[in-house]
Amino acid sequence: MAKVHVFDHPLIQHKLTFIRDVNTGTKEFRELVDEVATLMAFEITRELPLQEVDVETPVCMAKSNVLAGKKLGIVPILRAGIGMVDGILKLIPAARVGHVGLFRDPDTLQPHEYFVKLPSDVSERELIVVDPMLATGGTAVEAVNSLKKRGAKHIKFMCLIAAPEGVKVFTDAHPDVDVYIAALDEKLNDHGYIVPGLGDAGDRLFGTK
Ligand code: URA
C-alpha cells in the first residue's frame, strides 16, 4: 500500500502560508514554490542509498559516503509542475527532466495525454512526479499511467497541497507510488478547487487568468 508523507517541517509550513495568501504576487509566489520544492526535495531524498568510498583528505585517507543506487528523474505534469522543477534541481542537478502534458476532455472530463517526453532510460530511474496540487487525482493517476506504460518502475509523487479525495483516488490507482505532500487540506469544492488551497497554481505561477 502506498505511504502518504506530510512534510511538517516548520520552514515548509511557514512558506506555504505565504503561498496560500491571495495577496502574494506572481514573483513572490514563484520564488516561494521554488524554495518549498527545494525543501521537499531535501526531505524526499532522505532515504537515498549510500555507498562507502575511500577519500584522501589533506590529513589522511578516510572512508566516506556517496550516493549509490538509481539515477533520478523529475517529471513535472504540465503546466504547473514546471514551477517545482528548478527548486528540486538545486539539490539534484544531474537529474534528467521528463514532461507529461494532459488535457481534460470537456465532454467526458477524462484526462488525455497531449505531450510525453521522457529520458530514454526511464525504466532505470527513480522518478519524482511533481504537480503543486493533487485535487481530484484524475490527472496524477493518468500521468503515472503514462509513465508506467513507457516502462517506469520506481515512482514517487510530490505535491504542495492535496485534497483527501485526490489522495484516495491516487493511492487506490497506484498503491506502489508513495505520495509526499506539504499539506493535506480539507476537501474539494464544487469547482474542483482544493479548500482552503491556494487557488489555481498554474495561473498564480505564470501570472495568467
Ligand atoms: N488545480 C489547482 O491549480 N488548484 C486547485 O485547487 C485544484 C486543482
Side-chain angles (χ1 to χ4, degrees):
M1 193 57 203
K3 287 199 197 110
V4 179
H5 309 255
V6 182
F7 291 142
D8 56 1
H9 192 290
L11 285 175
I12 294 177
Q13 295 306 314
H14 173 84
K15 288 173 193 292
L16 193 57
T17 300
F18 295 95
I19 289 175
R20 290 184 188 277
D21 190 336
V22 68
N23 295 311
T24 299
T26 302
K27 174 180 177 288
E28 202 188 343
F29 185 91
R30 204 180 280 148
E31 288 166 357
L32 286 163
V33 170
D34 183 80
E35 288 166 15
V36 169
T38 304
L39 293 167
M40 292 184 81
F42 183 74
E43 295 284 346
I44 208 172
T45 50
R46 194 175 276 285
E47 309 280 314
L48 286 181
L50 293 170
Q51 84 185 46
E52 198 174 69
V53 294
D54 296 317
V55 62
E56 184 176 3
T57 78
V59 179
C60 66
M61 289 303 295
K63 301 276 184 204
S64 196
N65 292 313
V66 294
L67 290 174
K70 294 195 177 18
K71 295 185 185 145
L72 298 174
I74 307 164
V75 184
I77 301 177
L78 301 178
R79 95 188 133 134
I82 289 175
M84 298 174 74
V85 172
D86 285 350
I88 303 172
L89 283 173
K90 279 184 193 129
L91 293 191
I92 319 168
R96 299 289 166 87
V97 182
H99 294 87
V100 177
L102 300 154
F103 72 91
R104 192 176 287 276
D105 183 302
D107 298 323
T108 66
L109 300 182
Q110 291 307 306
H112 293 282
E113 281 176 22
Y114 65 85
F115 184 81
V116 181
K117 187 79 183 170
L118 301 173
S120 56
D121 56 354
V122 69
S123 60
E124 311 296 318
R125 285 183 185 262
E126 178 101 40
L127 300 178
I128 306 173
V129 178
V130 293
D131 194 348
M133 310 301 273
L134 179 59
T136 62
T139 303
V141 166
E142 204 45 44
V144 172
N145 283 340
S146 297
L147 300 183
K148 287 183 174 174
K149 237 175 12 196
R150 290 166 176 82
K153 294 188 187 72
H154 311 280
I155 305 173
K156 295 176 174 14
F157 182 82
M158 178 169 126
C159 67
L160 299 184
I161 299 179
E165 297 91 327
V167 171
K168 170 144 184 36
V169 166
F170 185 81
T171 53
D172 283 352
H174 294 296
D176 55 318
V177 178
D178 286 353
V179 177
Y180 298 81
I181 60 188
L184 181 60
D185 274 10
E186 198 184 317
K187 60 176 182 184
L188 289 179
N189 69 14
D190 293 343
H191 305 286
Y193 279 90
I194 297 177
V195 179
L198 54 72
D200 186 301
D203 281 346
R204 294 198 63 194
L205 273 166
F206 298 111
T208 50
K209 247 201 193 118

